[in-house]
């Protein structure tokens, strides 16, 4: 078990918990916090047992939460993207909104959703554009800028990547 916490092995999460006697904190085996001295560590197989022994949950890995400890952060990011898709957004803007570094944000987002914040934002914009193409008489160029793309070329490229057709082909198909 000691080897699993040293290697931060996620596959052992929920199978056992690491409790540190000196801090009275317990963690998942995959927790990225600084590793304690081996003599200060006890292992528990049940969360009720470790809490009954007087340990509190780590605020970093949140072992008491059954889902990923980053779920709330990812929900916050996706809500931000959905609500601000029309604006010119950079990874730095998004990272500033949630209070972490751009590098850490991109890594966590990709780990949890299997895509980058940029590709997620592109999909939102393309979905909004597809809706406008079918339900309005706006010109394709107007829709391009209305949904937040900075140039028609990036709009056409992203639209084709997501829908496998051009905006005008999509409009014809859906009418």
């Amino acid at each position: 078990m000691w080897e699993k916490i040293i290697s931060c092995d996620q596959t052992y999460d929920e199978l056992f918990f690491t409790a540190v006697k000196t801090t009275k904190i317990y963690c998942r085996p995959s927790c990225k916090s600084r590793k304690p001295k081996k003599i200060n560590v006890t292992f528990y197989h049940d969360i009720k047992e470790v809490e009954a022994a007087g340990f509190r949950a780590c605020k970093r890995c949140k072992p008491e939460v059954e889902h990923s400890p980053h779920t709330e952060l990812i929900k916050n990011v996706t809500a931000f993207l959905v609500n601000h898709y029309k604006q010119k957004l950079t990874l730095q803007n998004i990272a500033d909104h949630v209070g972490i570094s751009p590098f850490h944000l991109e890594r966590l987002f990709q780990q949890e959703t299997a895509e980058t914040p940029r590709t997620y934002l592109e999909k939102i914009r393309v979905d909004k554009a597809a809706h406008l193409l079918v339900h309005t008489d706006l010109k394709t160029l107007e829709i391009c800028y209305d949904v937040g793309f900075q140039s028609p070329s990036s709009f056409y490229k992203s639209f084709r990547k997501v829908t496998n057709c051009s905006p005008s082909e999509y409009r014809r198909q859906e009418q």
Side-chain angles (χ1 to χ4, degrees):
M1 285 193 261
W2 177 253
E3 290 170 11
K4 300 307 172 195
I5 67 164
I6 293 302
S7 64
C8 299
D9 195 335
Q10 255 183 337
T11 55
Y12 290 85
D13 285 0
E14 310 304 321
L15 296 179
F16 71 89
F17 300 94
T18 307
V20 182
K21 298 172 199 169
T22 53
T23 61
K24 293 302 238 176
I25 295 172
Y26 71 96
C27 298
R28 299 171 186 262
S30 65
C31 188
K32 303 286 189 222
S33 322
R34 199 174 92 199
K35 300 304 172 207
K37 290 181 180 175
K38 192 173 183 178
I39 58 167
N40 294 329
V41 175
T42 7
F43 299 101
Y44 291 88
H45 293 283
D46 183 38
I47 199 162
K48 291 178 182 145
E49 189 183 347
V50 72
E51 287 179 348
F55 293 93
R56 75 162 176 82
C58 171
K59 292 181 181 177
R60 184 171 188 171
C61 69
K62 299 182 181 176
E64 77 285 11
V65 179
E66 286 189 33
H67 53 75
S68 166
H70 309 296
T71 302
E72 282 304 312
L73 179 97
I74 301 305
K75 280 183 188 175
N76 193 347
V77 171
T78 54
F80 181 76
L81 293 174
V82 168
N83 293 326
H84 297 90
Y85 71 93
K86 289 184 177 189
Q87 299 172 4
K88 182 179 180 180
L89 293 175
T90 64
L91 190 58
Q92 185 67 54
N93 299 136
I94 303 163
D96 289 345
H97 173 73
V98 292
I100 60 175
S101 77
F103 172 78
H104 191 57
L105 167 65
E106 188 158 39
R107 196 180 76 220
L108 284 177
F109 196 87
Q110 199 158 15
Q111 178 183 314
E112 297 292 321
T113 66
E115 58 188 345
T116 64
R118 180 187 174 119
T119 56
Y120 192 85
L121 179 61
E122 275 182 5
K123 285 181 180 178
I124 293 169
R125 288 175 172 166
V126 168
D127 286 345
K128 300 292 184 183
H131 177 78
L132 291 173
L133 283 166
V134 174
H135 295 96
T136 68
D137 292 330
L138 292 172
K139 292 183 171 114
T140 306
L141 191 60
E142 293 172 310
I143 292 172
C144 161
Y145 292 119
D146 189 50
V147 297
F149 283 97
Q150 302 301 308
S151 73
S153 63
S154 64
F155 171 62
Y156 285 106
K157 184 179 174 185
S158 296
F159 198 91
R160 185 170 291 282
K161 186 168 65 175
V162 173
T163 64
N164 293 321
C165 64
S166 71
S168 54
E169 290 169 343
Y170 186 87
R171 182 175 259 168
R172 279 194 301 274
Q173 286 173 4
E174 297 298 320
Q175 287 180 343

